[in-house]
Amino acid sequence: MSGRDAGERTVLFEARHVTRRFGGLVAVSDVSYRHNQGEILGLIGPNGAGKTTLINLISGTLEPTGGELLFEGRPLKGMAPYRRAHLGIGRTFQLMKPFPGLSVLDNVTAGALFGRQPELAMAKARDLAAHWLEFVGLGEKASQPADALGGPDRKRLELAKALALQPRLLLLDEVMAGLNAVEIDEVVALIQRIRDGGTTILVIEHVVKAIRKLSDRLLVLQYGQLIAEGTAESVLEDPAVIEAYLGRRRG
Amino acid sequence: MRALVWVLAAAAVAALAIVPFTLSPVMVQFGISMLLFAVLAQGWNIIGGFTGYASFGNSVFFGLGTYGTAVAMVQFHLSFALGLVIGAAVAVAFAVLIGLPVLRLRGHYFAITTLALSEAVAAIISNLDIAGRNQGLILPLIRGDTMFYELSLGLMVLATLTVLWLARSRFGFGLIAIREREDAAEVMGIPTTRYKVMAFALAALFSALAGGIQAYYLTFIDPASAFDLSLNVRMIIMAVFGGAGTVLGPVIGAFLLSGVSEVLASYITGVASLFFGLVIIAAVLFTPKGVIDAARRLPRRGLAYFLDAVRETRL
């Protein structure tokens, strides 16, 4: 487990006092954390805690209303999402967003064509796309139209699309939601293989068993605030976290 | 199969090229109009079919092309070739300037905003002395239907080759991704704003060149005919009828519908537009993905193709 020996690790991404308001609602409030190179960070919290908003802020779909985001020490402020993708920030969407009119292969090819290695020739991009489809186990369905895929396969496609841009920081938004136990185990193994390939990963997940297994560290959000940070064991026993999930004990 | 299509297309272009030397002047005049419509439909295909932005601003590009060419020739006594270049440059510049804010809108909002452009630009032109105000401009007379025909044919081939390149290039791939799902396209590294503006400018280029040819060919232009919104509606219908987002669909749509409307207009003048409307409703119901798609799948699927189409349109 190369991911767990902290200490001399380099920081890939850092959030400093990041805040995002929507009118009167503070969706993300003064969140600060460091994400080390090669680390899998789990991001958990009740519904509406601001997890997806945080991913939107990192990928550039939203801009923070306060604070700073740094990728390799470089501020991301004002940088368009496509340029963050070129830097190596890839993401999946909780509500999967395949290109419905395109084949499964072409969906992934789009990611390869425009990812971290721009100016890739079409044939080369197709090869790369085929490789990632094979990697997520969709190799046999490459020529099917993307909207013909079922739920679990769409999750895999979403993953392959994000991988095709060869991200250095991969943001996974509930890639296990709606999967059964066997499928979850497969995806957990997949994510571990992605990390072993050198990718740093932030993963939002509700399936506690899976996230405990995957994460080197956990971040817990509640009402937009970071209420706990640490190893899975310590965080999941933290009274504040238990209260956030289960409510205050009566009496 | 692929090769056969392109051999046929080359043969069709060759056959079209000899029309002025074999058929009557009336056919040549019909041919010019048909070819220019094919250019317009292909131009719309770039922004509407590939990029997924249903533009009603293409008739503005057409109008700017006609006026750019006419003003250059009439007021500055420049050559036709230079006039075409100026008309195209004006339209492309306008597409970039207006595209930057307008292409931030999506779906219906984009369509409605571009819808207003025709009226606005026509109103401006009507008040410009250099553009002849609302009386319009009269261009030098030239008798050269063959020249106009071959020029239109060349432009149509150029537009189609451009779309063929789009369908195979990285740029075109990016446009299709934008059409399919723009927010996902952007986080995948596609510079969506730049690509949309470039597609808009490319559409403007071809629409304006068609406008420039039309201006010199008809030798008279005025704001009402140059900025005619129904022209925009016709190019959309032709592109969609043939198959938006395909390489040959808009050309085939323009040819078929030009033919249909010409035949209807000459035989049954009064009810021509009614029939034209019926043809379009039938097309939308039974071949919503265009004639190209129908031709490709009909042999395999048979009549079930039409039933699937009706089911998909949820009627």
Side-chain angles (χ1 to χ4, degrees), chain B residues 51-105:
Chain B
T51 323
Y53 276 74
S55 165
F56 283 90
N58 285 33
S59 55
V60 180
F61 305 143
F62 176 86
L64 289 174
T66 62
Y67 266 95
T69 307
V71 169
M73 290 178 75
V74 175
Q75 311 287 21
F76 297 98
H77 307 289
L78 299 172
S79 68
F80 175 48
L82 212 50
L84 276 181
V85 172
I86 290 170
V90 169
V92 167
F94 182 74
V96 171
L97 280 178
I98 210 77
L100 279 171
V102 164
L103 285 164
R104 299 172 76 99
L105 301 166

Side-chain angles (χ1 to χ4, degrees), chain A residues 145-169:
Chain A
D147 44 3
L149 291 183
D153 280 345
R154 284 192 184 206
K155 295 273 183 195
R156 290 168 187 277
L157 175 59
E158 192 69 18
L159 207 51
K161 277 172 72 178
L163 286 171
L165 62 87
Q166 296 178 282
R168 299 170 57 211
L169 175 61

